[in-house]
């Protein structure tokens, strides 16, 4: 991802290309969501594709923004863009807003907004280009311009304005996903739905993954099919499969049709296995490389901030193809082992082929015993042809083995239950 600072007004009209250089459309706007203690986060772009249709391009699908062009992974959801509660379009809604300087030096109007990625690849507003009120009576005069950080200004609001669901969401922006889920569950039903509607897709997906299944279904039913499909796209495939398995077959199929094809394919595969088997609990997206890949390449993949810690613990080495279901599983390399070797070392030379993978039909109890016996955090899952189809991590097994209402137990209750179980 390019680390170049980009101004939204200059980004408008830039061409959008896929990795092969084919033009997909052009940028029409930048979409952000507000946060309580940090500058608004960029969640995507509004792109005009042939037919003058405006669609949403998630910032996660953007690989580069530079030289007046946007490069994507090539995957664009062609459903017509419709801004949701909590989403703000920079060009259409933010430019022209009046702000006050925190130091009390007056007001200004937002004329442009700079966006920039941080070291983790998250894009956010980094600077505002502002114009102060003019000081001359001349009709042709303009006020002086200045730059300011988001923290140096405050948007002007009407006095006495009550806190909206949007503002409530901003106050939750720093909560861990599990804490956000508990906070939502403590709200009255109607208020919970209002706040859920305000949350961004990825944030709500993270919260849903931490909720009991009946609450997941309740919220999903209130969101509408298109929004529900977008939320499922953002969820981990195994969590999305567990949620969809609770729905009626007709609605399940309808939501799968609305999901991104790649995400839906992973979920369909998981739905083929029993919910209490390794196949039903695994994730189909572990880190997979060839034996010729280097330690440096493997560590670069492990560093991805969106990767679950348990899945980042090891890299699986297979014969081609390198997407599940892969070629034959050769073995794995633990990240601690990689740290002991130079960056240019080939993975095939430090491969651990002693660990027995589990078949997709293995029970959750069997997987739990293997993880505990060998002090592991994840295990490869294979099919009958010894092809890697996924990986099952310790958190997947814990979620299954714990009682359905474990989130509502306090520490004392949990301890006594564990003692009784022993």
């Amino acid at each position: 991802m390019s680390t170049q600072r980009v101004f939204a007004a200059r980004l408008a009209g830039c061409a959008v290309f896929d990795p092969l250089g084919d033009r997909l459309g052009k940028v029409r706007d930048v979409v952000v969501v507000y946060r309580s203690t940090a500058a608004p986060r960029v969640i995507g772009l509004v792109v005009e594709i042939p037919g003058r249709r405006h669609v949403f391009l998630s910032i996660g699908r953007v690989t580069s923004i530079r030289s007046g062009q946007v490069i994507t992974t090539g995957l664009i959801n062609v459903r017509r863009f419709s801004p949701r509660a909590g989403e703000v379009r920079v060009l259409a809604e933010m430019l022209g807003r009046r702000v006050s300087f925190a130091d009390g030096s007056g007001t200004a109007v937002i004329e442009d907004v700079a966006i920039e990625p941080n070291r983790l690849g998250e894009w956010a507003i980094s600077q505002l280009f502002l114009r102060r009120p003019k000081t001359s009576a001349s009709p042709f005069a303009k006020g002086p311009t200045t730059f300011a950080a988001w923290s140096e200004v405050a948007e002007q609001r009407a006095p006495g304005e009550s806190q909206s669901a949007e503002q409530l969401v901003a106050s939750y922006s720093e909560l861990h996903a599990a804490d956000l889920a508990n906070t939502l569950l403590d709200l009255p039903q109607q208020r919970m739905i209002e706040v859920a509607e305000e949350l961004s897709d990825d944030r709500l997906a993270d919260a849903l993954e931490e909720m009991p299944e009946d609450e997941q279904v309740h919220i999903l039913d209130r969101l509408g099919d298109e929004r529900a499909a977008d939320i499922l796209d953002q969820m981990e495939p195994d969590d999305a499969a567990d949620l969809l398995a609770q729905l009626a077959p007709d609605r399940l199929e309808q939501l799968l049709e609305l999901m991104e094809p790649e995400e839906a394919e992973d979920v369909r595969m998981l739905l083929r296995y029993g919910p209490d088997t390794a196949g039903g609990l695994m994730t189909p997206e572990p880190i997979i490389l060839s034996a010729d890949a280097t330690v440096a390449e493997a560590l670069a993949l492990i560093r991805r901030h969106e990767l679950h810690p348990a899945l980042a613990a090891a890299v699986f080495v297979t014969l081609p193809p390198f997407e599940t279901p892969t070629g034959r599983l050769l073995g794995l390399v633990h990240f601690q082992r990689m740290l002991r070797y130079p960056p240019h070392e080939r993975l095939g030379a430090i491969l651990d082929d002693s660990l027995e993978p589990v078949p997709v039909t293995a029970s959750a109890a069997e997987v739990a015993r293997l993880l505990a016996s060998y002090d592991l955090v994840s295990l490869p899952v294979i099919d009958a042809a010894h092809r890697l189809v996924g990986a099952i991590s310790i958190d997947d097994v814990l979620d299954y083995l714990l009682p359905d209402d474990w989130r509502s137990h306090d520490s004392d209750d949990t301890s006594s239950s564990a003692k009784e179980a022993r």
Side-chain angles (χ1 to χ4, degrees):
M1 177 75 74
S2 166
T3 57
Q4 181 182 357
R5 179 178 297 169
V6 181
F7 282 89
R10 296 181 185 177
L11 188 59
C14 288
V16 180
F17 297 92
D18 68 11
L20 300 178
D22 293 328
R23 180 169 172 151
L24 301 175
K26 52 189 174 183
V27 178
R28 285 305 184 198
D29 216 325
V30 179
V31 184
V32 300
V33 292
Y34 280 63
R35 296 184 286 187
S36 59
T37 58
R41 179 170 61 91
V42 178
I43 62 169
L45 307 174
V46 179
V47 176
E48 182 181 304
I49 60 175
R52 301 186 65 82
R53 176 187 289 269
H54 287 193
V55 300
F56 179 75
L57 172 63
S58 169
I59 198 67
R61 303 286 190 188
V62 176
T63 58
S64 175
I65 300 178
R66 59 184 175 186
S67 304
Q69 62 184 17
V70 176
I71 309 298
T72 76
T73 61
L75 301 170
I76 290 185
N77 190 325
V78 295
R79 291 202 297 274
R80 188 178 297 278
F81 170 74
S82 177
R84 294 178 177 138
E87 297 178 348
V88 178
R89 290 166 293 169
V90 170
L91 301 182
E93 300 176 71
M94 186 175 289
L95 301 194
R97 287 187 180 181
R98 186 170 296 278
V99 296
S100 301
F101 288 94
D103 61 7
S105 61
T107 64
V109 172
I110 301 175
E111 290 210 341
D112 207 349
V113 167
I115 62 173
E116 191 172 355
N118 62 18
R119 60 184 179 84
L120 298 178
E122 265 193 2
W123 285 77
I125 291 178
S126 60
Q127 262 191 337
L128 301 175
F129 178 64
L130 306 169
R131 187 175 296 277
R132 291 179 179 271
K134 64 180 183 178
T135 56
S136 169
S138 170
F140 304 105
K142 290 185 177 181
T145 60
T146 185
F147 289 94
W150 183 263
S151 59
E152 297 173 339
V153 301
E155 289 189 272
Q156 294 186 337
R157 296 183 177 275
E161 189 176 0
S162 61
Q163 185 183 39
S164 64
E166 179 181 348
Q167 291 171 301
L168 194 58
V169 165
S171 70
Y172 295 158
S173 63
E174 306 303 323
L175 289 179
H176 186 274
D179 296 328
L180 174 60
N182 288 331
T183 301
L184 290 175
L185 294 174
D186 287 340
L187 295 173
Q189 284 287 319
Q190 186 56 39
R191 188 61 164 167
M192 179 179 70
I193 299 301
E194 290 174 0
V195 174
E197 290 173 344
E198 294 284 350
L199 288 167
S200 61
D201 291 348
D202 57 341
R203 191 79 169 122
L204 180 54
D206 289 342
L208 285 178
E209 290 174 355
E210 304 295 333
M211 289 185 180
E213 290 175 350
D214 57 340
E215 293 292 347
Q216 291 178 334
V217 172
H218 173 67
I219 291 175
L220 208 66
D221 284 341
R222 298 288 297 273
L223 293 178
D225 287 349
E226 289 197 357
R227 178 81 197 279
D230 289 340
I231 301 301
L232 290 164
D233 282 334
Q234 297 294 327
M235 295 178 71
E236 292 295 325
D238 52 331
D239 290 311
D242 291 342
L243 173 50
L244 285 169
Q246 308 301 312
L247 306 180
D250 289 347
R251 179 158 167 76
L252 182 154
E253 188 59 37
Q254 184 177 11
L255 290 176
L256 284 171
E257 289 294 328
L258 289 171
M259 290 175 64
E260 295 282 1
E262 284 189 357
E263 305 295 339
E265 184 180 353
D266 287 341
V267 173
R268 287 183 191 277
M269 185 264 288
L270 293 173
L271 287 170
R272 292 201 295 265
Y273 305 112
D276 58 347
T277 65
L281 295 171
M282 70 182 182
T283 174
E285 299 173 340
I287 301 177
I288 305 167
L289 286 171
S290 71
D292 290 331
T294 65
V295 167
E297 291 175 283
L299 290 175
L301 291 176
I302 284 175
R303 290 190 188 101
R304 292 182 307 177
H305 72 282
E306 72 274 12
L307 195 65
H308 192 283
L311 293 180
V315 171
F316 299 97
V317 180
T318 73
L319 296 177
F322 302 114
E323 292 185 359
T324 55
T326 67
R328 184 176 181 82
L329 175 68
L330 301 178
L332 58 85
V333 184
H334 196 276
F335 84 94
Q336 285 183 321
R337 185 174 178 83
M338 285 186 271
L339 294 176
R340 303 188 189 111
Y341 288 86
H344 61 268
E345 188 70 64
R346 302 290 176 182
L347 296 183
I350 59 174
L351 196 65
D352 179 5
D353 58 2
S354 63
L355 181 65
E356 284 294 323
V358 296
V360 291
T361 55
S363 67
E366 180 182 351
V367 173
R369 283 194 296 271
L370 287 171
L371 289 170
S373 298
Y374 298 102
D375 295 325
L376 301 171
V377 294
S378 65
L379 277 171
V381 182
I382 58 170
D383 62 12
H386 207 81
R387 300 179 303 173
L388 182 71
V389 292
I392 186 166
S393 60
I394 192 167
D395 65 302
D396 296 324
V397 178
L398 282 175
D399 282 343
Y400 180 78
L401 295 179
L402 286 169
D404 292 339
D405 59 346
W406 67 268
R407 293 178 179 84
S408 63
H409 286 185
D410 58 33
S411 57
D412 292 337
D413 289 343
T414 304
S415 300
S416 59
S417 297
K419 291 175 182 175
E420 289 172 6
R422 287 195 292 269

